[in-house]
Amino acid sequence: MRAKATGFSMLEILIALVISLVTLMGAAGLVVRTVQQEVEAVQRLQALTLAQDMVDRININRQVVSCYSSGANGMSVGKGIAQGNLPACSSGNASQNSRADTDIDDWHNLLLGSAEQTSGNDNIGAMIDARGCITQVNAADQTYRVTVVWQGMSETVAPASSCGQNQYSTEKARRAVSLLVRIGDLT
């Protein structure tokens, strides 16, 4: 009688290796997607922080709120906007004008990542191609919208905001967060 064969055949080993490789590739894809989602979350947090920063600046200097949105024209700062081309404030007194101009310049620099760690000419950790917009929603109610947009890591749904529209690889990769601010009439 024949003795029973023991051990693994070459075919069994190859099948086990293929199964292991497929499992590892799936796990690697999951790790990559997790890192992408983590980067997206950090960028969204930065955007919310920057939007709230501008809302706070507007509330502090509320007497010249129209300077922040350049009246009904709207104001855009950040990637692709030359800092010298930003309109200067002309309402209110000189101190308020200067404060508004400084606030807009500071916000422009923050959107570009000036507060982040640098490596050569690149700002490491900043949002990708960040832009900010301040628009007048309703002049009578003194309602303004502060929006921050940036380049996302993957495509989702295009945001409804027009801030930064057609400035990114695709509209579905553009991310946006907006905050409304209403200046109360204290008179």
Side-chain angles (χ1 to χ4, degrees), residues 51-81:
Q52 185 62 50
D53 177 63
M54 182 47 74
V55 167
D56 292 343
R57 291 171 188 258
I58 290 171
N59 277 319
I60 290 169
N61 200 14
R62 64 181 53 220
Q63 295 81 6
V64 292
V65 66
S66 63
C67 290
Y68 289 91
S69 70
S70 190
N73 298 328
M75 171 84 64
S76 294
V77 296
K79 176 74 175 184
I81 309 293

Side-chain angles (χ1 to χ4, degrees), residues 118-139:
T118 59
S119 173
N121 292 332
D122 297 329
N123 294 325
I124 309 298
M127 291 179 299
I128 302 169
D129 295 344
R131 292 175 175 86
C133 302
I134 304 170
T135 54
Q136 185 181 66
V137 176
N138 187 325

Side-chain angles (χ1 to χ4, degrees), residues 172-186:
K172 290 183 177 183
R174 180 173 57 108
R175 303 288 188 272
V177 294
S178 294
L179 298 175
L180 282 176
V181 58
R182 181 166 186 224
I183 306 301
D185 185 8
L186 302 177

Side-chain angles (χ1 to χ4, degrees), residues 108-119:
H108 174 78
N109 289 329
L110 288 171
L111 285 164
L112 294 177
S114 64
E116 303 296 331
Q117 178 183 356
T118 59
S119 173

Side-chain angles (χ1 to χ4, degrees), residues 24-118:
L24 288 174
M25 287 174 56
L30 182 63
V31 168
V32 168
R33 187 71 179 144
T34 301
V35 169
Q36 277 183 337
Q37 293 302 317
E38 189 174 319
V39 169
E40 290 271 358
V42 168
Q43 288 187 342
R44 185 172 309 282
L45 180 61
Q46 285 178 323
L48 285 168
T49 301
L50 289 172
Q52 185 62 50
D53 177 63
M54 182 47 74
V55 167
D56 292 343
R57 291 171 188 258
I58 290 171
N59 277 319
I60 290 169
N61 200 14
R62 64 181 53 220
Q63 295 81 6
V64 292
V65 66
S66 63
C67 290
Y68 289 91
S69 70
S70 190
N73 298 328
M75 171 84 64
S76 294
V77 296
K79 176 74 175 184
I81 309 293
Q83 194 167 9
N85 294 339
L86 301 176
C89 181
S90 60
S91 64
N93 63 40
S95 173
Q96 293 165 334
N97 292 344
S98 175
R99 172 92 189 221
D101 291 340
T102 300
D103 286 346
I104 292 167
D105 285 343
D106 289 349
W107 199 48
H108 174 78
N109 289 329
L110 288 171
L111 285 164
L112 294 177
S114 64
E116 303 296 331
Q117 178 183 356
T118 59

